[in-house]
Amino acid sequence: MDLRVIIENMPSPQDRYDLHTHSRHSDGTTTPAEIAKLAAGLGLAGFALTDHDTANGWDEAREAAAEHGLDFLPGFEMTTMHRGRNTHLLAYGADPQDDEMAALLQLLGGARQRRAERMVEKLAQDFDITWENVAAVGIRAIGRPHIADALVRKGIVADRDTAFATLLSSKSPYYAYAESVKTVDAIRIVCAAGGVPVLAHPAAKRNRSVITPAELEQLIAAGLLGVKMNHPENSPELLTELQRTVADFPLLITGSSDFHGAGKINRVGEETTAAETVLRIRELARIKH
Ligand code: AMP
Ligand code: ZN
Ligand code: FE
Ligand code: FE
């Protein structure tokens, strides 16, 4: 065994990007600047900020990236529906000022908030919890993480993971669905706004089954350009099946952490994307930095 060859073939952090992170602008617990600091500490080439339904953190992330000599790719994540599947869609370099794009982000942000309100109303019938306990000032995209943290603060559950596994799980009577949009429509809007649409984590454990080749084909016909394969929450079985499905299509392949700060174990840089893939994304994106 030639150790020199193995070391040379190891991906170096200077060529790697974390393309899926959340900050306090949605449901992460850190600022974009803290994400930049973590990425720089690891020696990564750069990162993307992909808060839910918003581009509000981009300026802060851009500035912090420049301070640390990092490359920044702007993005966001949207929760959509494809044939009964809850489908998270990442979009890179889409213009958030584009009329349809802006309207979609607004719609999804509103739906997220109303859904959280409905869940808190249900919980309030049985537990000592109010909307005021959940919604801290300045937080956008109030979702289950914020409800979970309020349940923890009130001593109703032990920690955030327990909240997600019990009271906030999709099988819980306190769960509520958000109004959503079709993934194909979101993909078309992202493409028209100059963005690069990438499926966020189709092999995550929480999925009951993997997207079928026919379903993937429909998304590609709408303009889907990539699939995130490497994700800390993947189920090995689902990933193997997804790898077989994706192999038949010319797609950009990414990997990223889905960092949310404290309260979720995913760490910055835990999964990463190759610099050459970021180059391809950037060639296609309207907002490149
Ligand atoms: P929601 O979008 O409101 O349904 O809540 C799900 C979001 O919470 C996803 O973006 C998850 O990544 C995030 N999340 C943060 N912390 C956790 C956790 N401990 N367990 C599961 N999901 C979490
Ligand atoms: Zn999130
Ligand atoms: Fe997601
Ligand atoms: Fe995410």
Side-chain angles (χ1 to χ4, degrees):
M1 189 161 44
D2 186 347
L3 280 179
R4 189 171 38 82
V5 170
I6 291 171
I7 288 165
E8 276 173 7
N9 289 340
M10 290 231 302
S12 133
Q14 294 120 298
D15 304 324
R16 311 297 299 179
Y17 286 69
D18 191 334
L19 294 188
H20 188 165
T21 67
H22 297 263
S23 75
R24 287 223 287 255
H25 288 276
S26 64
D27 58 1
T29 62
T30 69
T31 60
E34 287 169 276
I35 298 173
K37 197 171 164 198
L38 290 167
L42 292 168
L44 293 181
F47 70 102
L49 184 70
T50 53
D51 273 311
H52 297 281
D53 318 320
T54 184
N56 283 343
W58 288 4
D59 287 346
E60 230 177 296
R62 209 174 266 136
E63 225 169 87
E67 265 167 41
H68 288 283
L70 290 172
D71 191 12
F72 173 67
L73 183 68
F76 37 74
E77 183 178 20
M78 291 165 287
T79 304
T80 65
M81 279 304 264
H82 185 50
R83 309 220 136 210
R85 276 180 210 280
N86 209 302
T87 304
H88 290 200
L89 186 71
L90 293 160
Y92 298 106
D95 181 359
Q97 315 282 9
D98 171 276
D99 284 350
E100 275 198 300
M101 193 69 257
L104 178 60
L105 292 175
Q106 179 106 40
L107 184 149
L108 291 173
R112 178 178 291 279
Q113 166 108 6
R114 283 191 294 281
R115 178 276 196 135
E117 286 169 2
R118 282 206 304 282
M119 287 187 67
V120 174
E121 271 167 31
K122 289 197 209 189
L123 285 160
Q125 291 174 4
D126 295 331
F127 301 96
D128 175 25
I129 189 161
T130 64
W131 181 250
E132 286 65 41
N133 299 145
V134 172
V137 183
I139 289 184
R140 309 260 160 181
I142 291 168
R144 281 186 292 164
H146 306 108
I147 306 176
D149 291 349
L151 290 168
V152 174
R153 281 197 300 274
K154 285 280 190 171
I156 297 165
V157 293
D159 53 37
R160 198 195 269 192
D161 285 343
T162 311
F164 267 94
T166 59
L167 295 178
L168 304 184
S169 103
S170 59
K171 293 180 198 83
S172 159
Y174 305 106
Y175 189 83
Y177 284 92
E179 305 140 61
S180 193
V181 298
K182 284 187 185 169
T183 312
V184 285
D185 292 334
I187 288 174
R188 286 194 196 103
I189 291 171
V190 167
C191 291
V196 177
V198 173
L199 274 191
H201 35 60
K205 281 188 201 87
R206 63 182 108 119
N207 295 323
R208 259 159 256 140
S209 62
V210 171
I211 188 165
T212 65
E215 285 167 349
L216 186 57
E217 224 167 340
Q218 289 157 349
L219 298 184
I220 291 168
L224 183 76
L225 291 169
V227 176
K228 178 176 146 186
M229 299 296 284
N230 296 324
H231 176 76
E233 296 150 75
N234 274 346
S235 127
E237 298 79 45
L238 295 185
L239 180 62
T240 306
E241 202 180 323
L242 182 67
Q243 276 161 341
R244 277 199 292 269
T245 299
V246 165
D248 291 335
F249 300 98
L251 285 161
L252 295 166
I253 300 300
T254 69
S256 301
S257 70
D258 205 357
F259 176 71
H260 277 74
K264 200 174 174 190
I265 57 170
N266 311 29
R267 296 295 94 199
V268 169
E270 194 178 333
E271 298 285 358
T272 53
T273 302
E276 59 191 52
T277 308
V278 178
L279 212 65
R280 296 268 323 276
I281 293 174
R282 189 163 271 142
E283 277 167 9
L284 299 164
R286 186 177 304 165
I287 302 197
K288 297 181 189 291
H289 297 280

